[in-house]
């Protein structure tokens, strides 16, 4: 038996980019919070895509509005046992480990997540080639696969140097990486890796590769609609199949 303490990766209609609100994720902050409370969670993180994602990124002009909304909702939900945190799922946009968030943006947030996503705007042509052109090519051309993994891994490692990242989301799911190198550095820095209930990574195979590394995890839903908030079934099963030590999973408590 497992007690889910929180879901640290959920999206709302603020993940809209330059599209009409509601096209990417369908729920409001309060709708996500209601489901979290109903499911017995004590924490939920609202973590929209970083502003550098041209399709689904949160508008910079909305971050203050989100902060104010969450502050107001916490006055209602904290007495009921639920804490709402404002996060951002920032995008890796540079081979030098730059993210699409600045200090002025981050001052409104409680927690920083980082992931790799197609659709994020690279910093330069070099970054576009290294992160967003080479990776698709590497999936069909074995000759550049190792080079792509090397570039991706270095970018992740540099991002860990450049920012205080709390969680790396779905590491290796969209761009292949050396997961052992990432896990070792994350362990040293106290950064957690996400076991996604939505994406392929971390997979059972990847989790087994890093089983001997003392790194922390979060199992998250990556919910894009309220009814998926707190649905961590697939992630929990992956952790069980890989024989992960559940004491390392920060938002799950094993009940014996």
């Amino acid at each position: 038996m497992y007690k889910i303490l929180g879901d640290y990766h959920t999206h709302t209609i603020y993940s809209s980019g330059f599209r009409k609100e509601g096209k990417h994720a369908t729920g409001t902050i309060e709708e996500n919070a209601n489901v979290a409370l109903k499911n017995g969670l004590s924490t939920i993180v609202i973590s929209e895509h970083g502003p550098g994602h041209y399709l689904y990124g949160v508008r910079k002009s909305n971050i203050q509005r989100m902060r104010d909304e969450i502050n107001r909702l916490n006055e209602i939900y904290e007495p009921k046992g639920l804490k709402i945190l404002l996060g951002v799922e920032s995008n890796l946009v540079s081979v030098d480990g730059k993210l699409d968030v600045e200090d002025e943006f981050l001052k409104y947030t409680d927690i920083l997540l980082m992931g790799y996503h197609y659709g994020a705007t690279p910093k330069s042509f070099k970054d576009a080639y290294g992160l967003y052109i080479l990776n698709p090519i590497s999936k069909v051309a074995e000759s550049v696969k190792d080079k792509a993994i090397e570039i991706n891994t270095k970018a992740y490692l540099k991002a860990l140097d450049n920012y205080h990242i709390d969680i790396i989301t779905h590491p290796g799911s969209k761009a292949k990486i050396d997961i052992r190198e990432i896990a070792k550095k994350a362990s040293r820095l106290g950064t957690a890796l996400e076991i996604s209930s939505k994406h392929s990574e971390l997979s059972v195979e990847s989790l087994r590769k890093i089983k001997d590394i003392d790194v922390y995890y979060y199992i998250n839903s990556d919910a894009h609609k309220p009814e998926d908030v707190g649905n961590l079934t697939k992630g929990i099963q992956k952790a069980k199949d890989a024989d992960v030590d559940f004491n390392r999973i920060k938002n799950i408590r094993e009940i014996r």
Side-chain angles (χ1 to χ4, degrees), residues 51-150:
H53 197 294
Y54 65 86
L55 289 175
Y56 308 130
V58 61
R59 295 184 179 92
K60 291 181 180 180
S61 59
N62 276 336
I63 193 66
Q64 174 72 72
R65 177 181 169 188
M66 293 179 69
R67 179 75 270 170
D68 292 343
E69 185 175 347
I70 286 175
N71 289 346
R72 176 182 61 80
L73 289 171
N74 271 325
E75 293 180 2
I76 300 170
Y77 284 87
E78 281 195 66
K80 298 179 181 180
L82 177 69
K83 177 71 173 179
I84 308 168
L85 299 179
L86 176 57
V88 59
E89 188 186 12
S90 60
N91 297 292
L92 184 63
V93 293
S94 156
V95 294
D96 294 324
K98 297 295 190 301
L99 305 180
D100 62 338
V101 288
E102 300 171 351
D103 289 344
E104 181 64 24
F105 184 96
L106 291 174
K107 74 179 185 180
Y108 293 103
T109 64
D110 303 304
I111 182 170
L112 177 60
L113 293 74
M114 184 273 284
Y116 173 95
H117 300 91
Y118 291 116
T121 305
K123 290 286 186 181
S124 68
F125 178 78
K126 175 185 176 183
D127 300 317
Y129 177 77
L131 293 178
Y132 299 108
I133 296 175
L134 196 61
N135 276 305
I137 294 174
S138 71
K139 294 178 180 180
V140 295
E142 191 70 23
S143 60
V144 297
K145 182 178 179 180
D146 288 345
K147 185 62 176 178
I149 292 174
E150 178 186 352

Side-chain angles (χ1 to χ4, degrees), residues 34-254:
N34 271 324
V35 175
L37 185 65
K38 179 181 177 182
N39 288 339
L41 277 59
S42 57
T43 305
I44 182 172
V45 175
I46 307 300
S47 50
E48 312 300 359
H49 293 287
H53 197 294
Y54 65 86
L55 289 175
Y56 308 130
V58 61
R59 295 184 179 92
K60 291 181 180 180
S61 59
N62 276 336
I63 193 66
Q64 174 72 72
R65 177 181 169 188
M66 293 179 69
R67 179 75 270 170
D68 292 343
E69 185 175 347
I70 286 175
N71 289 346
R72 176 182 61 80
L73 289 171
N74 271 325
E75 293 180 2
I76 300 170
Y77 284 87
E78 281 195 66
K80 298 179 181 180
L82 177 69
K83 177 71 173 179
I84 308 168
L85 299 179
L86 176 57
V88 59
E89 188 186 12
S90 60
N91 297 292
L92 184 63
V93 293
S94 156
V95 294
D96 294 324
K98 297 295 190 301
L99 305 180
D100 62 338
V101 288
E102 300 171 351
D103 289 344
E104 181 64 24
F105 184 96
L106 291 174
K107 74 179 185 180
Y108 293 103
T109 64
D110 303 304
I111 182 170
L112 177 60
L113 293 74
M114 184 273 284
Y116 173 95
H117 300 91
Y118 291 116
T121 305
K123 290 286 186 181
S124 68
F125 178 78
K126 175 185 176 183
D127 300 317
Y129 177 77
L131 293 178
Y132 299 108
I133 296 175
L134 196 61
N135 276 305
I137 294 174
S138 71
K139 294 178 180 180
V140 295
E142 191 70 23
S143 60
V144 297
K145 182 178 179 180
D146 288 345
K147 185 62 176 178
I149 292 174
E150 178 186 352
I151 292 173
N152 297 335
T153 301
K154 286 182 178 179
Y156 271 73
L157 295 175
K158 288 178 180 178
L160 287 167
D161 285 331
N162 293 337
Y163 303 87
H164 178 76
I165 297 168
D166 297 288
I167 304 172
I168 298 177
T169 59
H170 44 74
S173 183
K174 300 175 185 291
K176 298 304 178 184
I177 53 176
D178 184 332
I179 191 58
R180 286 191 58 83
E181 289 303 309
I182 302 300
K184 285 188 286 187
K185 184 147 193 172
S187 175
R188 292 196 298 270
L189 296 175
T191 299
L193 305 182
E194 179 183 70
I195 303 174
S196 177
S197 290
K198 180 181 179 182
H199 296 281
S200 60
E201 297 288 352
L202 290 167
S203 63
V204 172
E205 180 183 0
S206 294
L207 287 166
R208 286 172 175 164
K209 284 181 180 178
I210 58 176
K211 186 178 176 181
D212 63 317
I213 300 172
D214 190 19
V215 65
Y216 287 110
Y217 302 99
Y218 283 89
I219 300 178
N220 292 321
S221 69
D222 195 356
H224 284 62
K225 49 188 178 180
E227 54 263 40
D228 288 337
V229 170
N231 184 358
L232 310 187
T233 302
K234 290 182 180 179
I236 291 173
Q237 189 61 52
K238 285 195 287 186
K240 290 171 64 178
D241 290 346
D243 197 23
V244 171
D245 180 359
F246 270 73
N247 290 319
R248 291 192 199 168
I249 303 174
K250 302 188 78 171
N251 62 326
I252 302 286
R253 185 171 70 237
E254 191 171 9

Side-chain angles (χ1 to χ4, degrees), residues 17-32:
F18 296 104
R19 298 154 60 113
K20 184 179 179 181
E21 287 192 347
K23 288 291 187 180
H24 183 62
T26 61
T28 65
I29 294 175
E30 185 162 17
E31 286 170 339
N32 279 18

